[in-house]
Amino acid sequence: MRDALAVLQQAAPDLAHAWAARLAPRADPRLASTLLRFMSALKEARLDSWLDAAAQQAIEGQGRGDLVRRLRDDFRQMAELADQRAEGDWRAVLLPLADGREIRMAAFYVRRRRRRDGERNPGTRFILDLDLDRTGALQFDGLVRPQQLDLVVRSARPLPALWERDIAAIFEQSMAITGYRGKVAFQAGAASLVSPADELRRAAPAPALRV
């Protein structure tokens, strides 16, 4: 992903700036929108939903069609991880996000929930785990089921009330656009944070996929 952004910056600086801005993991409500966009693209297993056709063509125009093909393959692998039917085990994905200066990797965990009595589709749980200067530890903890997405935003310190309102508004707008239903909640304090990384270390899983 870093290589693709570097080529795009040379070929089409405006497209590169717009793409990086759309991915920026700043401690503000846009992070929720970024995550929802990524989850939607991942569900469709379509790189086009994450990196638009104009950007892909600009990269290919620089003779780096290999980067676009690699991104497509990596994105398909991430979608397969998210859709695996194996229950219980966390899978780790290193999700590329931009901080305005460079692309950095954020820990993104996903697993199929274990089926409980009477459940037809227990769904897939995901956690985006960040550590930002302005908020400290910040997690987006979601549960995806057919036409439903429930989200819990966990933070080491309470988020400003304005951010919570804006995140909730963006969530509702995204639900309306995608046709999903669901709710968003907020939890603050170190005790609210979860640690899939610890579970992964205990289970000694396969290495994380890096995009």
Side-chain angles (χ1 to χ4, degrees):
M1 189 69 77
R2 291 188 180 93
D3 293 341
L5 181 60
V7 172
L8 190 59
Q9 285 172 331
Q10 294 179 355
D14 290 344
L15 285 175
H17 177 76
W19 184 38
R22 195 165 66 243
L23 302 181
R26 297 170 184 164
D28 66 21
R30 283 180 296 172
L31 183 54
S33 179
T34 296
L35 179 58
L36 291 171
R37 185 184 302 111
F38 178 76
M39 285 301 299
S40 176
L42 196 61
K43 184 175 179 62
E44 297 174 5
R46 292 179 61 245
L47 176 64
D48 296 357
S49 299
W50 190 242
L51 178 63
D52 61 34
Q56 293 180 45
Q57 291 169 5
I59 294 171
E60 291 171 339
Q62 295 295 302
R64 296 306 308 271
D66 60 305
L67 285 179
V68 176
R69 290 191 294 273
R70 190 197 313 166
L71 286 172
R72 288 187 182 279
D73 289 342
D74 288 344
F75 208 84
R76 190 178 302 111
Q77 289 181 49
M78 285 195 294
E80 289 171 356
L81 282 178
D83 195 45
Q84 281 184 352
R85 292 295 184 261
E87 298 178 353
D89 294 334
W90 285 108
R91 303 286 180 169
V93 174
L94 298 179
L95 171 64
L97 293 172
D99 66 3
R101 296 182 302 275
E102 62 179 359
I103 297 289
R104 65 177 179 178
M105 312 308 290
F108 183 83
Y109 304 94
V110 61
R111 73 174 177 187
R112 295 283 298 178
R113 288 178 66 238
R114 290 186 173 87
R115 190 181 300 275
R116 299 175 181 174
D117 292 342
E119 278 190 317
R120 296 183 59 185
N121 189 324
T124 299
R125 186 181 177 191
F126 67 85
I127 296 175
L128 176 64
D129 199 354
L130 298 168
D131 191 354
L132 303 178
D133 293 339
R134 296 180 65 186
T135 65
L138 182 65
Q139 295 179 333
F140 288 79
D141 186 349
L143 177 61
V144 183
R145 286 169 287 191
Q147 295 305 115
Q148 181 166 347
L149 170 60
D150 296 311
L151 182 68
V152 178
V153 182
R154 307 178 190 276
S155 55
R157 300 190 294 270
L159 296 176
L162 177 60
W163 291 0
E164 291 192 3
R165 288 196 298 270
D166 286 348
I167 289 173
I170 289 171
F171 182 86
E172 292 298 329
Q173 293 168 8
S174 299
M175 295 297 96
I177 292 171
T178 60
Y180 272 55
R181 64 183 184 276
K183 59 183 182 294
V184 60
F186 299 87
Q187 296 181 3
S192 72
L193 301 173
V194 295
S195 183
D198 289 343
E199 293 184 39
L200 275 171
R201 281 191 289 268
R202 289 195 294 269
L209 172 67
R210 180 182 295 271
V211 179

